[in-house]
């Protein structure tokens, strides 16, 4: 996520640079044809364009709404993981405190960090429909680095899991799921050895269900894109609209200069104004698009690396550890 | 679901081919009458058409919103089934791990796959209001195959259930419901034989309640269509609108050519422009309509065959089975 | 609910027949006055009418949204009743299976059907604000029959309750509430006799709480109409709008014929066009209105008779009964 | 709430009588200045007014949405209280039925009615931002009476609490909270005396948590108004809009009469039409405003007196009491 | 929050004083250029401005919706803290009432107040994206004082925690989290000493999970701003719009005076009208912006100091303490 005050207009213009080139060309063509070739019949009525504009507002509004909803839900899910981690943490610690089992407590805590790690690596894997290969984002992504792209999962997991468990987990299809299954096996073993009462086991098992819930919800957002037919029709309509706008404005700008010192030249104002209008609609759509996949590694992602670290700090602080890792901070305003 | 980057414009045009024919005819008629028969009084005012256009935008926006909501809820429900399956799986496995009951564990796991199977077959049965008999979808459906249409449920269930249970289940009205009832009977028998504590039974019974919840929610979306009166009035309004648009634009396009090289011919531009405008609104509605029934076997379905397989893989991986089935992958970008 | 493909345009026209008469008269009056009496000053500007039209679109959109929300929530509630009934059913059956209490199981199951019966009769009682006395619905209601209007509740309950309990329940204010209270008393008696463990009692008691929840939610929708002041102002605005539209279009249609073969007669086109426009808005409102009360016995109701029967079938199937009742099917496409 | 079919147009006109006076004056002034003083430059362009009108539609739509949401949530909360009361009622009754504790059952039931009483009195206390001092509502409020304004809380509580408890509760800041705390103390005492098992205590304690939840949610709506800055800017914009409308329409109505028998007089039509348009927008806002505070004692309140009585009837019916109080019925269509 | 009737127009004007200056300048420039320099070609067509205006209405509507949602959710979260505090309070008090542990009860109650304190201090820390450094808010903030800015957290915590615990907590990263962890340790110690049953422990542990949930939700709103790209594009579009409006209105106001006594001067009306229109849109945006961060210490914050005090009063009243602190009341209508 962007953790600063705002994106500047300059950043927006750079980010949509190539869109601006394209939109300019679209505006230049009819203007030249109208002015130099006398194709004045190109100045179609504004009437169908305006209606299309209203429909486009609805469509983009709808898409941005859904997109914001996906981003916000993704953040809620990771917020939920924070909350359950804290509850689960104090329960593990306090249920076992009178049992001389502090080593098990530590193993379970660190295995939890392993789960967080596996989950964030899985969520940051690429999907066909994601936008990180768009030139816009490739370029912008040079401003920050994505830990899950540069680190190796086995190295990170090795900090949290025993060698045996690490080897075991690396053979599994869905690593996060099976790490959590190890947690379940561990607490059941503790219960079978009478270190946990049946009720305590139930409370902890509920915690595990909650983790699975949140993991599954995050995977749902990851694996189920904003429906492609909704997305495609919006693009098609938008492209149609930005194509038509410069034609629809021709007439107005041609007449604008009549009787003034720019008579005969006012038609050229069509270019900046059409560009302005189409750029605004186009950029709105791009903004919406760039939040639909909140785990793709973009500048507008949910900061899951940061959140996972926060959980690790909070939980190790619960055990009164002293060498807590540093919080993850924004790089060029971007927090991942 | 479509698992690629997007539907291409070409796919959209092919998909709405017959709509385009119809809309073209609707645009040609008034243009010919106006131009050749001199029925210039056909050029009705744009004023009522524009107001209708605004209302149509609201109606289609509303319908697409509801449609998206149904699709997304359907995906959430199946996401919920994934999550509860994982929690239920680790509980069954770990509660019984110290009891030498690994065979019961396996029976319950495989009966769960039977439940998933029965459920997906039930959800993919046709309903009167679904759209798979529309020529659009009949044609497109040749790109992929729907397992629930080609496989036989008894053959698939036979892989997961004992012969007795299979015979018993095949006599039942709602097979998924009664398979889950067998799960309940099984865990209660295990509890009566002291293999599960009362609290463990309660936790598992809660799991069964959650499965029933998700099954019932999926059946609700399957059996309760987007209300027919809302849907019908939207169609009627849309048809009215696409009928009126070519009349409303006549005048503007007639005047467009005045004093230019296409004078007298500009009226023909009415046809492509009216087509463009009506096609956009019509396609928006078609897009919305094609998500209202997320279990009909269309290209925009929730991929329940794929999800059921994912659950099977994850759960068999929990038991450390080695011959895991392959994940279901998209065919021509369509994942079912 | 309508269980077919769609309402036809013909059905809509018949259904709104009297509205069409009224709207026609509203359109005829200004046209006649304009044409025959020369009251050309009646052709008010379209400007305030258009703004009113936009506002009306908002208002009707808002109302239809709320109306759809009420219908959908009502269906969710009854979906919830299905789900909890299944969970409650397997729990009752399996908790008591080893206790030789199959008769209690049957009594509780049938008392549950009694609760479903009492609830659906209560929900289909008339309320002042409901629309079943509107001529539209009176007429359409001849296409299907409403079991709760023709059957007698005591006769239906007699199939499910013992004579004593039937007599007791018939003295009560809210019969559904007190039938469910009998369920609670019964399971507590079973627990006091050691046929249910404390935890099993808790699980069942939670089931009863869930039934009360769903009953209460259905009663909330039944007893709390779409707020009358929101509804009334929408009607007033709509009436104002349909009154003004024919005046606003006069001028455009008068000019339409100038220089054509219908010169002097084009004013008459005002009538069909005003009718078209006002009919669309009026019908949209009627469609919304006809879903605000999802338990009134209209063609767009939640099919609670059908759902109650489905639950009965599923639960009796759980007990392996063989003479299951038939499912309730649509009559002239209407499922109640 | 209004429990009838609808508010009549007459009621609306009476209710907004003074608004009509104000809006008329606003329309008369520019008309007179234009006509008699020749200030024709007052006829500003409709263009900025129309844009303002669109923005106003959004703002009022948004406000009415929020307002409806508050009203509906308030009703859901009280619906929740009904549901939990029934569950709690049967649990108390049936858990203690074999313990010869019917007197405790009765004390707890009646203390629950005391809680309902304290809560409804607290919720009907005035707040600065509420609208019951607006002349509109002062006048309309003569049609019905508000029990919480005329009764004394101590007299009503005396029917439900012992003298000691009544005296104790009257010393407390938040009476409802502390009455519920007495319930908790009572059931814990019963559990300590072995009249309730630990699990039964837990179930009842969950009931108390649910009551606190619903009480807190109702207090949240009571104590946190629709944000004053949102509300104030909406008022300011609306006032601006109704001020400008009569100016924006001047020109159209002036030209309307040209060449007709009312030439020179058509300007006067500006007054009724401007009034119509501004009244509609103004009344929409007033309607929204009158639902934002659903516990203020207005005609559009959630009927909490009625609901509290319904709960009392249902619960006393559970105990088979015979002298049940009468249900509270609407007075002049208003149910409180 | 503002606890009065409304913000006055005067307050709004003062609050947006500098915006007014800026918008006036933007309106003056084109008017002067048009009038004195004869740059009449500046009077661009209203057509693109109107479409932009519609899009802006959508964008601001969307933003205000999200902003209201964040504020309302923040209030719900703190409402949730009230509710769970009451439930947790009565449970602690009543579970331990027969155990002679009233001192532990008091320690836990006061530690809860410490948690409330730590939480509100954390939530009122500044964030980069918050608006309290905007001149608007700096100025307005002189009307009230923010306890969390003037008090020292260690002094306030000292009233609620023992010296040891205070010293321990002050070393921790997230103080609220670790105070709640102390609660967990304390109740587990009580349970280990047999002062609480396993079930009672479970109920209390659920309370702690709920507190963590609500804390985490509040932190989520605090730490995850309204996405900066949505916010930035809205600002850019708004600035573009307010820039263009005065140009778009030039022509209409120039013609307005023709043939009247202000002929040649009516162009100056462009300034107040453009200002009016742009001010309205600008202020709408400012209003939305000022609710997106509900814990920043602004006049529109959720009143968390007040709510924390209310909880303290209610809980100490449960213990029948007599020297209850005073409720926190609004200062110049602002309640924090």
């Amino acid at each position: 996520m962007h953790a600063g005050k705002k994106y500047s207009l300059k950043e927006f213009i750079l980010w949509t640079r190539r869109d601006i080139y394209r939109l300019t060309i679209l505006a230049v063509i009819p203007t030249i044809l109208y002015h130099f070739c006398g194709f004045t019949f190109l100045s179609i009525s504004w009437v169908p364009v305006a209606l299309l504009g209203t429909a486009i507002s609805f469509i983009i509004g709808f898409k941005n709404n859904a997109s914001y909803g996906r981003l916000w839900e993704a953040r809620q899910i990771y917020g939920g993981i924070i909350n359950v981690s804290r509850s689960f943490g104090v329960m593990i610690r306090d249920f076992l405190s009178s049992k001389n089992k502090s080593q098990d407590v530590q193993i379970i805590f660190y295995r939890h960090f392993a789960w967080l790690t596996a989950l964030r690596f899985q969520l940051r894997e690429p999907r066909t429909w994601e936008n990180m290969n768009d030139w816009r984002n490739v370029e912008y992504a040079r401003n920050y680095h994505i830990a899950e792209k540069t680190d190796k999962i086995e190295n990170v997991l090795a900090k949290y899991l025993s060698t045996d468990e690490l080897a075991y987990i690396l053979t599994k299809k869905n690593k996060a799921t099976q790490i959590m299954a190890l947690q379940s096996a561990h607490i059941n073993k503790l219960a079978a050895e009478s270190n946990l009462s049946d009720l305590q086991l139930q409370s902890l098992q509920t915690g595990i269900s909650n983790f699975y819930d949140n993991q599954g919800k995050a995977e749902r957002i990851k694996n189920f894109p904003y429906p492609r037919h909704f997305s495609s029709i919006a693009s098609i309509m938008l492209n149609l609209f930005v194509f038509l706008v410069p034609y629809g404005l021709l007439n107005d700008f041609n007449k604008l200069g009549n009787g003034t010192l720019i008579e005969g030249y006012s038609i050229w104002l069509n270019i900046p104004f059409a560009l302005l209008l189409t750029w605004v609609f186009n950029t709105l759509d791009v903004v919406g698009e760039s939040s639909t996949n909140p785990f793709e590694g973009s500048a507008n992602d949910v900061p899951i690396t940061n959140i996972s670290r926060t959980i690790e700090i909070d939980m190790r602080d619960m055990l009164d550890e002293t060498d807590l890792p540093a919080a993850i901070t924004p790089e060029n305003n971007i927090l991942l």
Side-chain angles (χ1 to χ4, degrees), chain A residues 11 149 213 230 252 296 303:
Chain A
E11 278 181 300
K149 306 281 181 199
D213 259 21
F230 278 86
D252 275 330
E296 63 184 2

Side-chain angles (χ1 to χ4, degrees), chain A residues 117-129:
Chain A
T117 303
L119 184 57
R120 68 184 166 88
F121 271 87
Q122 286 171 206
L123 292 176
R124 287 255 163 89
E125 282 165 9
R127 290 288 180 278
T128 329
W129 52 80

Side-chain angles (χ1 to χ4, degrees), chain A residues 90-105 108 185-202 204:
Chain A
V90 293
M91 284 196 287
I92 285 286
R93 184 192 70 173
D94 296 336
F95 288 172
L96 294 172
S97 66
S98 58
K99 300 282 182 180
N100 234 341
K101 286 282 163 188
S102 63
Q103 205 186 342
D104 289 83
V105 171
I108 293 173
H186 195 155
I187 58 169
N188 274 279
K189 192 164 140 284
L190 285 167
E193 297 162 2
S194 304
N195 288 305
L196 289 170
S197 74
D198 253 27
L199 270 166
Q200 289 172 332
L201 176 64
Q202 195 186 42
L204 293 171

Side-chain angles (χ1 to χ4, degrees), chain A residues 19-20 67 80 104 144 195 198 210 254-255 259 263-264 289 307:
Chain A
D19 295 295
I20 293 176
S67 166
D104 289 83
Y144 56 92
N195 288 305
D198 253 27
N210 289 338
N254 190 41
K255 289 186 301 190
E263 179 157 5
E289 182 64 34
I307 293 176

Side-chain angles (χ1 to χ4, degrees), chain A residues 29-34 39-45 246-248 250:
Chain A
I29 293 173
T31 312
I32 285 183
L33 290 175
Y34 186 100
F39 288 4
T40 54
F41 56 86
L42 290 177
S43 63
I44 58 167
S45 161
Y247 295 83
L250 275 176

Side-chain angles (χ1 to χ4, degrees), chain A residues 306-322:
Chain A
N306 164 274
I307 293 176
S308 302
R309 179 66 59 85
T310 302
I311 296 173
E312 185 177 342
I313 295 171
D314 271 10
M315 288 180 72
R316 290 170 68 176
D317 217 0
M318 272 178 197
L319 301 185
D320 297 329
E321 290 193 14
T322 49

Side-chain angles (χ1 to χ4, degrees), chain A residues 265-277:
Chain A
Y265 298 97
S266 66
I267 184 75
W268 296 111
L269 286 173
N270 186 44
I271 296 174
F273 276 94
L275 176 60
L276 217 73
L277 207 59

Side-chain angles (χ1 to χ4, degrees), chain A residues 145-326:
Chain A
H145 100 282
I146 306 162
E148 289 77 18
K149 306 281 181 199
T150 53
D151 298 351
K152 285 207 161 163
I153 182 170
E154 49 270 34
N155 298 344
V156 187
L157 286 182
K159 297 198 296 180
Y160 301 129
L161 293 177
S162 70
T163 326
D164 284 0
E165 287 193 354
L166 177 60
Y168 174 78
I169 283 302
L170 289 176
T171 68
K172 292 298 183 184
K173 300 274 181 195
N174 187 319
K175 293 175 185 51
T177 303
Q178 306 300 337
I179 292 174
M180 195 47 73
L182 288 176
Q183 298 284 53
S184 173
H186 195 155
I187 58 169
N188 274 279
K189 192 164 140 284
L190 285 167
E193 297 162 2
S194 304
N195 288 305
L196 289 170
S197 74
D198 253 27
L199 270 166
Q200 289 172 332
L201 176 64
Q202 195 186 42
S203 296
L204 293 171
Q205 203 81 48
T206 302
I208 287 175
S209 297
N210 289 338
F211 290 128
Y212 271 141
D213 259 21
N214 284 311
Q215 174 185 336
K217 284 177 184 172
E219 289 173 349
R220 161 166 55 78
I221 290 183
K222 180 72 183 178
N223 292 325
F224 194 70
Y226 181 67
R228 296 294 87 193
H229 54 323
F230 278 86
S231 171
S232 305
I233 188 67
S235 297
I236 292 173
M237 283 182 69
L238 183 66
N239 282 326
L240 205 62
F241 177 70
V242 302
F243 177 80
L244 289 180
V245 161
Y247 295 83
L249 293 174
L250 275 176
N251 214 24
D252 275 330
F253 282 106
N254 190 41
K255 289 186 301 190
L256 188 64
N258 290 351
T260 75
L261 55 99
I262 62 164
E263 179 157 5
Y265 298 97
S266 66
I267 184 75
W268 296 111
L269 286 173
N270 186 44
I271 296 174
F273 276 94
L275 176 60
L276 217 73
L277 207 59
T278 56
W279 180 78
V280 158
F281 279 84
N282 191 74
T283 305
L284 261 181
D285 183 63
V286 170
V287 160
E289 182 64 34
S290 68
S291 292
T292 44
N293 305 307
F295 300 118
E296 63 184 2
S298 88
N300 302 306
D301 261 33
V302 169
I304 60 176
T305 319
N306 164 274
I307 293 176
S308 302
R309 179 66 59 85
T310 302
I311 296 173
E312 185 177 342
I313 295 171
D314 271 10
M315 288 180 72
R316 290 170 68 176
D317 217 0
M318 272 178 197
L319 301 185
D320 297 329
E321 290 193 14
T322 49
D323 57 334
L324 302 180

